[in-house]
Amino acid sequence: MLATRDLRGRDLDGDSIPDLLHGGSWLAGVGDGTFRSPVEVVPDTALAAEDLDGDGAIDVIGAAGIHRGRGDCSFDAPIEYPLELISNGSR
């Protein structure tokens, strides 16, 4: 069962149809309100999905780091970041 708090809705593959990201799996939107079966796209737990670098592709922020999106629902290996910078809001 999918918990709604764990879902991230974004167009991950550039077809202008909203997709879902759950954990590290992508559910491609069909366009009629339904979704295809999940496919793992990042071996990580997705915490957020946004275009962080302004290139038009959705990036995934996960527990292991930031996975830069390529615009076709494929992602680079995670770029690690120091969690203390994010957790305490400093710098």
Side-chain angles (χ1 to χ4, degrees):
M1 185 163 130
L2 299 177
T4 55
R5 70 179 178 278
D6 297 331
L7 294 174
R8 310 285 178 245
R10 299 285 184 272
D11 177 17
L12 297 173
D13 56 4
D15 64 0
S16 300
I17 299 171
D19 305 308
L20 293 177
L21 186 63
H22 179 260
S25 296
W26 166 53
L27 292 81
V30 176
D32 62 0
T34 63
F35 299 88
R36 298 193 192 285
S37 296
V39 175
E40 185 178 288
V41 291
V42 291
D44 198 352
T45 299
L47 305 174
E50 297 291 336
D51 180 9
L52 299 174
D53 54 9
D55 65 356
I58 298 295
D59 307 304
V60 173
I61 303 164
I66 298 171
H67 303 265
R68 291 191 63 218
R70 298 179 187 153
D72 59 358
C73 203
S74 64
F75 298 87
D76 292 339
I79 301 167
E80 294 182 21
Y81 53 86
L83 287 177
E84 67 273 3
L85 295 178
I86 294 170
S87 63
N88 69 16
S90 64
R91 296 179 221 167

